[in-house]
Amino acid sequence: MDMATEGDVELELETETSGPERPPEKPRKHDSGAADLERVTDYAEEKEIQSSNLETAMSVIGDRRSREQKAKQEREKELAKVTIKKEDLELIMTEMEISRAAAERSLREHMGNVVEALIALTN
């Protein structure tokens, strides 16, 4: 009986390893062309992805710049509304030896307060 059991085991092993019959594989002489084509399409797809990422980044940068520019314009409008005294402007110009535009800007940024404007200019 030992012999028959060993034979059964061998038979089962043979069935498992052989499996269903497959046709013999054909030589793959055209596979290199398919691989080359795959690489080309991968490259083209990667370029498309990169260009769309670049477009997205550029639009984000453009949006940010336009927001910054809009905020800057609004700030300038607010500063233009601040009233300043001619005497304060001339005082800052002569004491600090700066241009009229720089003195006016400093005064406007400090809401017309000459003391704060002078302090800011000296720091």
Side-chain angles (χ1 to χ4, degrees), residues 40-109:
V40 168
T41 54
D42 288 348
Y43 177 78
E45 290 170 355
E46 188 175 312
K47 283 294 184 190
E48 287 177 20
I49 290 170
Q50 288 176 352
S51 68
S52 69
N53 287 345
L54 179 63
E55 290 171 7
T56 304
M58 292 302 288
S59 70
V60 168
I61 290 170
D63 291 346
R64 184 178 300 150
R65 283 187 181 163
S66 65
R67 280 191 305 245
E68 288 173 357
Q69 193 172 19
K70 188 176 179 182
K72 188 176 179 181
Q73 288 173 349
E74 288 178 17
R75 173 81 172 137
E76 292 299 322
K77 285 180 184 178
E78 288 176 23
L79 290 179
K81 292 178 186 175
V82 175
T83 56
I84 55 174
K85 297 179 183 173
K86 188 176 181 179
E87 304 85 42
D88 294 343
L89 182 63
E90 290 174 0
L91 173 72
I92 291 176
M93 285 172 49
T94 55
E95 291 300 318
M96 300 306 294
E97 297 178 354
I98 58 174
S99 68
R100 175 178 289 279
E104 186 175 340
R105 176 80 180 185
S106 180
L107 265 174
R108 289 189 188 280
E109 286 177 348

